Amino acid sequence: MVRERLIQAIREEMKTGEIRKRFFPMMTDFGVRDYSETVHTMGLNYLTAIGRTISDTTAISECPVYPYEKQTFMAEKVAEESGEYHIDKKPAVRPDSIWYSTKDNQPLLLCEFERYDNSRLKNRKLEEKIQNLLIAYHQLGGNIPLILFVYWTYPKVTPGDISNYIRIFDEGFTMGNGTRVPGIDGRKTSYLVYHCVASGDKDKLTFNQWIKVR
């Protein structure tokens, strides 16, 4: 099954780091300066690279999702089942990485890579990233096998409990305009959560510790 194959590939790479070591030595050995969006760019391109090594799969970084005509029909069927979600009220979003099947061009995975720290502003950003993944999931028809969410921290930053954010995948959320966005369909979709702990300082960060959260 596609979902199990993707999960296995991701779990293996997070454990061994073979793709990371081969193609992203700046993340594993040389170090990355935390300047502007540098870490974010490295992280999302690494996650995209994983998808490109999996058979019958390709991956695109920062790919905008918009409810085109064919996809709108699929998403509206989700709305009919839930009685809450309406595609015409959704904004276009841009996940950090989307993986597609090279056989039928169907989306296989949505991914976000985001920094966590103890500031209220950054926590809100974490929540928004998860919400955007859920919006993209529905805009693409809700028939996506897997969602991957990775958050990274500095070495001495101890993450608080983010279970309230993670539950958004299951429970959905209400947008500011009152629109209810339902959670994933667990019969079709699973989600993985990883915590990446950086080493070093802001001038030379390496990323070799990827901890399975879910």
Side-chain angles (χ1 to χ4, degrees):
M1 191 175 179
V2 173
R3 177 166 50 180
E4 282 67 30
R5 183 163 56 87
L6 295 175
I7 290 174
Q8 181 180 2
I10 293 168
R11 297 286 198 212
E12 183 67 17
E13 169 56 26
M14 295 305 183
K15 181 180 178 180
T16 66
E18 290 183 3
I19 297 169
R20 193 165 64 248
K21 295 170 186 174
R22 179 179 179 185
F23 296 106
F24 297 88
M26 65 288 290
M27 295 181 71
T28 61
D29 299 312
F30 300 118
V32 177
R33 184 187 297 274
D34 183 12
Y35 171 75
S36 185
E37 298 297 318
T38 304
V39 173
H40 183 252
T41 299
M42 294 291 179
L44 71 89
N45 277 283
Y46 165 52
L47 297 173
T48 295
I50 297 173
R52 293 174 180 169
T53 67
I54 300 173
S55 176
D56 302 322
T57 305
T58 190
I60 308 297
S61 295
E62 296 191 315
C63 184
V65 173
Y66 187 83
Y68 294 104
E69 184 175 354
K70 182 179 179 181
Q71 295 165 341
T72 300
F73 173 75
M74 295 170 65
E76 286 177 343
K77 291 185 68 177
V78 175
E80 291 171 3
E81 293 172 2
S82 67
E84 298 173 313
Y85 183 80
H86 300 284
I87 195 69
D88 58 347
K89 295 182 179 180
K90 298 292 112 186
V93 293
R94 186 177 61 186
D96 286 338
S97 185
I98 304 181
W99 300 4
Y100 289 92
S101 166
T102 56
K103 290 185 173 180
D104 58 15
N105 203 41
Q106 293 302 303
L108 301 176
L109 177 144
L110 300 172
C111 175
E112 287 282 2
F113 179 81
E114 183 61 33
R115 176 180 174 179
Y116 173 97
D117 64 21
N118 293 319
S119 73
R120 184 176 180 181
L121 179 62
K122 280 293 183 180
N123 283 353
R124 175 58 184 159
K125 188 67 175 179
L126 211 69
E127 182 180 20
E128 288 177 354
K129 287 284 189 175
I130 292 175
Q131 291 175 347
N132 283 344
L133 281 172
L134 198 54
I135 291 172
Y137 168 80
H138 286 296
Q139 287 185 335
L140 288 169
N143 192 27
I144 299 172
L146 194 59
I147 294 174
L148 172 62
F149 180 69
V150 181
Y151 61 100
W152 72 274
T153 62
Y154 269 79
K156 296 181 180 180
V157 174
T158 302
D161 183 8
I162 67 166
S163 58
N164 286 340
Y165 301 149
I166 301 303
R167 279 200 296 268
I168 292 173
F169 288 129
D170 295 309
E171 300 175 359
F173 69 100
T174 301
M175 299 183 68
N177 63 7
T179 300
R180 181 67 187 170
V181 180
I184 63 171
D185 182 345
R187 298 166 299 178
K188 301 177 180 179
T189 307
S190 298
Y191 59 90
L192 305 180
V193 180
Y194 273 85
H195 172 204
C196 175
V197 182
S199 298
D201 56 39
K202 67 177 182 178
D203 291 324
K204 189 178 180 180
L205 292 171
T206 54
F207 299 86
N208 291 307
Q209 188 176 5
W210 298 70
I211 302 168
K212 180 177 73 171
V213 177
R214 189 187 189 283

